[in-house]
Amino acid sequence: MPRPLFTLEPRLQLCADWVRPGVKMADIGTDHGYLPIWLAKQGKISHGIAADIALAPLRAAQRNIGRYHAQGLVHARLSDGLAQVFPHEADDVVIAGMGGGIVIHILTEGRSVARKVKELILQPQSELEEVRRFLFSENYELLQEDMILEDGKYYPMMKVRYAPEKFVQQPKLTDGDFLFGPMLLQAHHAVLHSYLLREQRIQKDVLKQLAVQKQTPAIVQRTKEVEAHLQLVEQSLW
């Protein structure tokens, strides 16, 4: 008897919703392979690559491919980022569930592949400003942004494509755009609003703690940094 298909967590479901129908896709840092397996079993993709740098999650993905009868539709592959993925094998690439620094590393080391695929779906879990500045400097066009709150944690995500021919038409981004996402800000996204209010509370609490400490040069400098960040948060609120 076929095993019932699982339900994706909301943050992975959002990634799945953004993968275009009928494409070949690669999930980088696949962990247990749930995303490409779900997409394949739903008939949304023609083929999926479940790639991971570590053997343990890759073996878990292989077991799940067999468990859900996705052989021939999804292939597990040991790969450091995009190193073992070739441009003709993937139209859409998902990079989710890892820190922003690792996302930048994958896109840098796999630049030749990342620039040739049609769309990249990114869900970095930290260093959002650095990721957005990297994408801007590398001539990636921002196609879509969203943000979800799951189990008390905020997950911003973005869909981009390499488009140097269009980059000259991109509007100049502000510090607030790089921090919080230009499309999220423009749309007055409800989850971003919640995030900004939380950031405002956090930064005000930090300032209160700094104010009662001995005002050494390091504390004074830290206070200035927090005040600057708080100002950006409050300028971004609506």
Side-chain angles (χ1 to χ4, degrees), residues 32-137:
H32 286 72
Y34 291 131
L35 179 60
I37 291 169
W38 189 91
L39 287 166
K41 295 302 290 184
Q42 293 289 345
K44 187 172 181 181
I45 59 173
S46 61
H47 181 259
I49 295 173
D52 209 286
I53 192 174
L55 274 174
L58 197 69
R59 286 170 178 155
Q62 289 172 327
R63 288 194 296 271
N64 284 329
I65 289 168
R67 184 175 292 131
Y68 294 101
H69 305 288
Q71 302 95 326
L73 294 172
V74 180
H75 289 90
R77 185 175 299 175
L78 190 67
S79 181
D80 182 356
L82 291 163
Q84 300 302 320
V85 178
F86 301 96
H88 69 276
E89 294 182 302
D91 305 302
D92 290 7
V93 169
V94 177
I95 307 175
M98 60 193 74
I102 299 175
V103 172
I104 292 171
H105 169 77
I106 290 171
L107 295 179
T108 300
E109 294 300 312
R111 188 178 276 118
S112 61
V113 177
R115 288 181 172 183
K116 290 177 182 175
V117 301
K118 298 295 190 298
E119 294 183 356
L120 292 154
I121 297 165
L122 310 176
Q123 197 180 76
Q125 297 189 343
S126 63
E127 302 160 284
L128 270 296
E129 179 183 5
E130 289 81 358
V131 171
R132 292 190 180 102
R133 289 190 185 276
F134 170 83
L135 294 171
F136 187 85
S137 70

Side-chain angles (χ1 to χ4, degrees), residues 141-175:
E141 178 188 13
L142 182 63
L143 302 173
Q144 195 172 350
E145 278 191 301
D146 207 340
M147 192 176 197
I148 191 167
L149 178 62
E150 181 182 321
D151 296 331
K153 186 170 182 178
Y154 292 90
Y155 293 94
M157 60 185 291
M158 59 207 75
K159 180 189 283 189
V160 301
R161 72 180 183 95
Y162 181 64
E165 75 284 355
K166 286 193 172 184
F167 195 75
V168 292
Q169 304 170 19
Q170 293 291 309
K172 182 176 175 60
L173 298 182
T174 66
D175 289 341

Side-chain angles (χ1 to χ4, degrees), residues 154 180 185 191-201 232-234 236-238:
Y154 292 90
F180 308 121
L185 287 167
V191 178
L192 175 62
H193 187 255
S194 168
Y195 173 81
L196 290 171
L197 290 174
R198 190 191 72 165
E199 277 294 293
Q200 185 184 45
R201 292 193 299 270
L232 278 173
V233 170
E234 293 183 334
S236 301
L237 273 166
W238 57 89

Side-chain angles (χ1 to χ4, degrees), residues 3-21:
R3 183 182 292 266
L5 191 60
F6 50 84
T7 300
L8 292 174
E9 297 173 342
R11 62 184 180 86
L12 281 183
Q13 183 62 58
L14 193 52
C15 291
D17 292 344
W18 278 13
V19 174
R20 295 169 302 139

